[in-house]
Amino acid sequence: SKIDFTKMIDSNILFNYKIAKLENFIERKLKSDSKFFNHKKIKKYKGKYGLYCIGTKKNDIYPNQRISFILDPNGDDSYNSALFADRKYPLFALIDFGGNDLYFNKNIAELFSIYSGLGYVKDFSGHDVYQGGDYALSARFGFLNFSDLKGDDIYRTGLHSLGAASLGITLLRDLSGDDIYSVTEFGQGFGGTLACGILADYSGNDQYYSGGKYLHAPLAPLDYRSLSQGCGYGFRPDFAGGIGILFDNFGNDVYSGGVFAQGVGYWYSLGILIDNGGNDSYDAVYYPQGSGIHIAGGFLFDRNGEDHYYSKHGPGQGAGHDYATGFLIDRAGNDHYSIEGGNGLGLTNSVGIFLDVSGKDFYERRNEKSYGFANKARNSGGIGVFLDTGGNDEYPMEFTQNDTFWIKGIYGIGIDENLVSINENNTQIVAENNVIDIDSLAMISEIFSIASEWGVSGNEKRVEFALEILLSRDKESAEYIFQNCLDTKQGLTFRAIKNYSKKSKEFSKYYSKGLNHTDSLVIKNTILLISTNKDSTHFNKLESFLNEKKYVNSVLQAFGSFKGTKFVRILEKYIYDSSEKRRFIVARSLKRINTLESNLVLGKMKNDESFLIRTIIKL
């Protein structure tokens, strides 16, 4: 009650504005003046708010002492200093314009920790490592504005860290890169009393881990507590909690937690986890994934992707317990759900809401308190709502099935019905955008490179369109592929050649040149193309290879594509060959010919010592 939060907010706005002006000025000078920051050693100044340091463009090592202000222009720097604000020196700022930096301080509250003050940190680029103790990258009775703009970064800290706040605000923003975040508990978007803690990651395939130190006895004596990843927490019974937010914009992310994790609130608080896209994995132990526990709210929203949700125990995945509310909303994707009790569970006068909007989903666990259930407590009830509004889904229980309706417990309801029509999914959008990106007048080498991409999911139309362009410029394409690509060992490249050769009127003219080439790989690939396109006009040349004992396996494999007695008779000469591999090729070719004559010859191999060959005959 003694803190004037309005004045704290006003002073934070002014502080950030002044630091940002300095930052913009330095950034312009670094770009326009090559001699700017040409000093050779770190400059140090003693000021009103502590020690100020100006770094060099080299790899600096900052002293193991408390520093209140650092400005570093470049270099792979090591920060082993005490970097925090408190009542003695209530302002702290650090600006690093580039380099792969190491920020290391395992002492409690000495790595970007704000206590009764204001903090501003910005690292512009580089693959950085942030390794701290408890209360790192966090604020108590204050504000911290932290940004890392580029790089694959590693954050490893203790409790109340990485976007954690109590009686204040912490904003941790990471704009790009495949990042790793690790805390013991109370972190990764944690809001304590009168606080909002935010971790916002805007792109990259990120990993979030919380736990590994504090066991949750007696409830889960062998499992670790998390209270992280979008967690609001109050100190029961005296202090209400705040708002904890974890926001991840895009990427295939992994969220790994223990007890209380991933969009959970405890005791007059709100926990939020929002993931906008990617195939994500959520893993926890108790009270996870959109859970409100003891007069609190929990919210997990996943906009898109084929996601996996797992928890050893419930309640969770859209569950409330003890006058609480929990939501889990998944907008799209073929998702998997597994939890002991949840998916729309209202326990002890609470509301639990689960909504999966679209996709072919799989629900794993058989539990009476899942899929829309509310119990009776305190002579009253609760509300549990389960909704799956699109897709052909799979359930483990008889009365919870696709395209059905059910009621369980006290005001527990489940509905599976195709209510939402998705006309265009992300895969289709990606496919159309990929096709638009192809210039039909580009060089053949560029077009062929696209045709050689993996033609799956959203890339199918792109590969098909590239093939159409190759065929529309057939003479040019045939010459380029023969001269530059026929010696490939790459499966996707050869697949593109094969798909092109099936429809090309020009490429077969190069078969003779290919069979007489000086490169053995070109010859083998040509034989395979002749086999694929069933071009028997080159029989004499192929037979001559056998007589010369050249490319024998390639030719025997090719003969399986042709019908006729002469091919069967040649293959028969090799059914007792000493090489198992060659006998297998012969057996497979005879099976592919699949005439009465070829099958009779194949039958002679029924007692072959090779299991693979006997299996061909058996099948």
Side-chain angles (χ1 to χ4, degrees):
S1 61
K2 296 179 180 179
I3 299 172
D4 189 330
F5 279 96
T6 301
K7 286 186 178 180
M8 187 185 289
I9 291 171
D10 290 343
S11 58
N12 184 66
I13 292 171
L14 180 60
F15 178 63
N16 278 261
Y17 171 72
K18 292 292 187 180
I19 293 294
K21 283 189 70 174
L22 171 64
E23 175 188 294
N24 293 334
F25 169 76
I26 299 296
E27 187 176 16
R28 289 196 305 270
K29 289 288 288 183
L30 284 170
K31 291 178 180 179
S32 62
D33 186 355
S34 60
K35 296 181 179 179
F36 194 54
F37 276 97
N38 270 359
H39 52 278
K40 304 301 181 183
K41 293 182 179 180
I42 296 173
K43 293 183 178 182
K44 302 176 184 178
Y45 306 92
K46 287 187 177 180
K48 180 179 178 181
Y49 296 104
L51 180 65
Y52 308 159
C53 291
I54 310 297
T56 75
K57 294 180 179 178
K58 297 180 180 180
N59 301 336
D60 296 322
I61 299 176
Y62 285 88
N64 185 14
Q65 63 186 99
R66 181 171 180 181
I67 306 175
S68 294
F69 177 84
I70 296 178
L71 186 61
D72 191 281
N74 208 344
D76 298 340
D77 307 308
S78 294
Y79 297 90
N80 304 310
S81 313
L83 307 172
F84 64 94
D86 62 7
R87 290 182 180 181
K88 183 178 180 180
Y89 296 129
L91 299 180
F92 173 81
L94 183 148
I95 304 167
D96 187 296
F97 285 95
N100 302 322
D101 305 309
L102 172 63
Y103 300 90
F104 181 88
N105 191 323
K106 296 299 290 286
N107 294 330
I108 293 175
E110 290 195 2
L111 182 66
F112 306 140
S113 175
I114 306 303
Y115 175 68
S116 296
L118 308 173
Y120 182 99
V121 180
K122 183 175 286 188
D123 187 295
F124 277 75
S125 65
H127 305 309
D128 306 308
V129 176
Y130 302 90
Q131 190 156 357
D134 295 340
Y135 299 98
L137 282 78
S138 74
R140 293 156 297 138
F141 297 103
F143 289 79
L144 173 65
N145 184 356
F146 176 99
S147 301
D148 187 296
L149 306 189
K150 293 181 181 179
D152 301 333
D153 306 308
I154 298 173
Y155 301 81
R156 185 177 178 85
T157 61
L159 62 77
H160 201 284
S161 300
L162 304 187
S166 295
L167 296 113
I169 294 176
T170 296
L171 172 59
L172 189 167
R173 297 186 305 153
D174 190 295
L175 271 62
S176 66
D178 299 335
D179 306 309
I180 299 173
Y181 301 90
S182 177
V183 298
T184 54
E185 69 173 359
F186 298 135
Q188 298 169 359
F190 170 84
T193 300
L194 283 171
C196 182
I198 303 170
L199 192 165
D201 189 294
Y202 289 86
S203 70
N205 303 317
D206 306 307
Q207 299 179 49
Y208 301 89
Y209 173 76
S210 177
K213 188 170 183 179
Y214 303 103
L215 292 169
H216 194 64
L219 177 64
L222 300 178
D223 290 304
Y224 293 104
R225 200 166 56 239
S226 288
L227 291 157
S228 298
Q229 299 167 4
C231 176
Y233 183 81
F235 288 87
R236 185 181 180 186
D238 296 313
F239 295 100
I243 301 172
I245 302 171
L246 172 53
F247 170 79
D248 191 292
N249 191 47
F250 188 77
N252 294 350
D253 307 307
V254 177
Y255 302 89
S256 181
V259 182
F260 291 104
Q262 300 148 19
V264 298
Y266 178 90
W267 197 251
Y268 291 95
S269 66
L270 175 62
I272 299 172
L273 193 161
I274 298 173
D275 190 297
N276 263 343
N279 299 337
D280 307 308
S281 177
Y282 301 88
D283 186 88
V285 177
Y286 264 109
Y287 307 126
Q289 301 154 11
S291 296
I293 308 297
H294 300 301
I295 323 176
F299 182 83
L300 192 159
F301 176 81
D302 191 295
R303 190 179 300 276
N304 207 343
E306 297 183 349
D307 307 307
H308 166 85
Y309 300 86
Y310 172 82
S311 181
K312 185 193 297 187
H313 302 292
Q317 296 181 10
H321 169 53
D322 187 21
Y323 297 125
T325 305
F327 290 84
L328 191 156
I329 299 174
D330 189 294
R331 288 283 301 171
N334 302 328
D335 307 307
H336 284 230
Y337 299 92
S338 178
I339 191 168
E340 186 182 48
N343 309 115
L345 173 61
L347 288 178
T348 325
N349 315 119
S350 297
V351 177
I353 296 177
F354 173 92
L355 169 62
D356 187 292
V357 178
S358 65
K360 182 179 180 180
D361 306 307
F362 179 82
Y363 300 93
E364 182 189 36
R365 306 274 273 277
R366 296 176 63 90
N367 190 287
E368 291 297 324
K369 294 181 180 179
S370 291
Y371 318 122
F373 178 88
N375 71 337
K376 181 172 60 176
R378 302 180 180 121
N379 299 311
S380 186
I383 298 173
V385 178
F386 173 93
L387 298 170
D388 189 303
T389 57
N392 187 19
D393 310 301
E394 295 184 36
Y395 294 90
M397 304 171 77
E398 291 73 17
F399 60 88
T400 56
Q401 293 297 321
N402 199 61
D403 297 326
T404 57
F405 166 89
W406 58 88
I407 295 174
K408 296 193 299 175
I410 305 298
Y411 304 117
I413 185 171
I415 299 174
D416 184 300
E417 187 174 349
N418 285 321
L419 302 175
V420 176
S421 177
I422 303 296
N423 297 321
E424 214 174 38
N425 59 31
N426 274 8
T427 299
Q428 291 171 321
I429 295 170
V430 169
E432 291 173 3
N433 290 339
N434 283 345
V435 170
I436 293 171
D437 285 342
I438 301 177
D439 180 6
S440 61
L441 299 179
M443 296 177 65
I444 288 297
S445 58
E446 184 179 339
I447 301 299
F448 182 76
S449 177
I450 296 171
S452 301
E453 293 175 358
W454 199 6
V456 295
S457 190
N459 216 39
E460 292 175 355
K461 291 184 178 180
R462 174 179 168 87
V463 172
E464 290 172 3
F465 186 52
L467 177 60
E468 292 175 10
I469 296 172
L470 291 176
L471 292 168
S472 69
R473 298 162 63 178
D474 203 7
K475 286 187 178 181
E476 189 181 359
S477 300
E479 182 179 3
Y480 171 79
I481 292 171
F482 177 76
Q483 295 291 346
N484 300 281
C485 308
L486 207 52
D487 61 347
T488 185
K489 293 181 181 179
Q490 302 300 319
L492 289 175
T493 302
F494 187 78
R495 181 187 294 177
I497 297 172
K498 186 168 66 174
N499 291 337
Y500 164 75
S501 70
K502 289 178 182 178
K503 297 181 179 180
S504 170
K505 296 179 180 179
E506 293 291 327
F507 195 68
S508 60
K509 298 176 183 178
Y510 288 89
Y511 288 162
S512 293
K513 290 183 179 180
L515 293 174
N516 291 285
H517 205 277
T518 56
D519 188 329
S520 62
L521 193 54
V522 171
I523 294 172
K524 289 179 182 179
N525 285 339
T526 302
I527 293 172
L528 190 51
L529 290 172
I530 288 171
S531 167
T532 299
N533 296 307
K534 303 183 186 301
D535 188 348
S536 60
T537 59
H538 300 278
F539 170 76
N540 292 335
K541 182 63 177 178
L542 296 179
E543 189 178 32
S544 72
F545 284 142
L546 294 179
N547 295 332
E548 297 168 12
K549 297 183 179 180
K550 293 181 178 179
Y551 316 114
V552 175
N553 289 348
S554 296
V555 173
L556 295 177
Q557 180 173 309
F559 279 179
S561 298
F562 304 111
K563 305 286 186 183
T565 298
K566 61 183 178 181
F567 298 104
V568 176
R569 292 300 166 217
I570 292 173
L571 289 167
E572 187 176 11
K573 295 177 183 179
Y574 295 88
I575 63 174
Y576 302 118
D577 194 275
S578 60
S579 166
E580 181 186 6
K581 178 179 179 180
R582 186 164 293 171
R583 297 197 311 275
F584 176 76
I585 290 171
V586 168
R588 194 169 57 180
S589 290
L590 289 168
K591 181 63 178 175
R592 285 169 56 210
I593 292 172
N594 198 26
T595 62
L596 177 61
E597 185 180 22
S598 69
N599 288 335
L600 287 172
V601 174
L602 180 60
K604 295 179 181 180
M605 304 179 76
K606 66 181 180 179
N607 294 321
D608 194 284
E609 64 182 22
S610 169
F611 168 79
L612 293 174
I613 293 170
R614 296 199 306 273
T615 303
I616 288 176
I617 297 168
K618 180 72 173 177
L619 292 173

